[in-house]
Amino acid sequence: MLAELGFSPLRVAINGSLRPSPTGGEDAFAGRRPDLALVLDDRGDATPVCVRLREDDELGEVPIVVSVEPEDLDLSPEMLVVHELIVAPFTTAELSARIARARRQAQGVGEDEVVRSERLELNLATYQVTVEGVPVDFTYMEYELLKFLMTHPRRAFSREALLSRVWGYDFYGGARTVDVHVRRVRAKLGSEHATKVKTVRRVGYRWED
């Protein structure tokens, strides 16, 4: 499901020092801060892990979403360290909504924070995009790319820079991933706004109102 939302999920085991390590012993984060922590709580004992995630200085305010089984739903005060709880089984749409709410809580985005470009609006609190007053569905990474470009107008970014600033790490798909997402973003923006995502030859892309 995370892949469907535009993430590149990495399954890790939390060791005693809270430094996640995948199979092979390499550092899972490679020195980079993850965008989200999705804790799969299949034994009803996620609270200690979530507390340690919130207290870890290197991870900072990473949004924490905990997936629990119905019989393990825990609403005790100790679970206030979690940004969102989601009861399994759940749909991709519900997970997307929970992630958006967790990010709002973690980052403290105000409900009235909206980025506008004529009749194009990005609501930073609800992760919604409206074009000419009509809501348009964007995947998580499509939204993040559009948000980054709109909030850094008139500045050209290379594909490598966009991978680093938007995706947050060296994405396995390479620079072509940026081109694919730009094409999808333009298609969803429609002819009126698609031309605002300018192609800068031999460099990358920029946003131009």
Side-chain angles (χ1 to χ4, degrees), residues 6 28 48 59 95 116-117 119 124 126 128 130 168 171 194-195 201:
L59 295 182
L95 178 59
R116 296 181 177 87
S117 176
R119 294 274 290 166
L124 303 182
T126 63
Q128 292 179 319
T130 57
F171 185 66
T195 56
R201 291 189 61 186

Side-chain angles (χ1 to χ4, degrees), residues 55-81:
E55 293 178 347
D56 190 283
D57 293 335
E58 293 184 29
L59 295 182
E61 280 295 305
V62 173
I64 302 172
V65 178
V66 176
S67 167
V68 298
E69 299 296 328
E71 62 272 17
D72 295 325
L73 183 60
D74 183 2
L75 299 179
S76 63
E78 290 79 8
M79 285 300 285
L80 292 177
V81 297

Side-chain angles (χ1 to χ4, degrees), residues 5 10 24 32 48 56 70 83 102 106 111 132 158 170 176 190:
L5 296 177
L10 177 61
R32 298 176 184 270
D56 190 283
H83 296 106
E111 291 289 340
E132 304 299 320
S158 68
D170 295 328
R176 177 170 168 74

Side-chain angles (χ1 to χ4, degrees), residues 6 12 19 31 35 46 50 62 83 97-98 104 158 161 166 181 205 207:
V12 299
R19 294 271 61 81
D35 294 317
C50 294
V62 173
H83 296 106
R98 296 288 184 173
R104 292 201 301 273
S158 68
V166 177
H181 279 74
Y205 300 95
W207 180 266

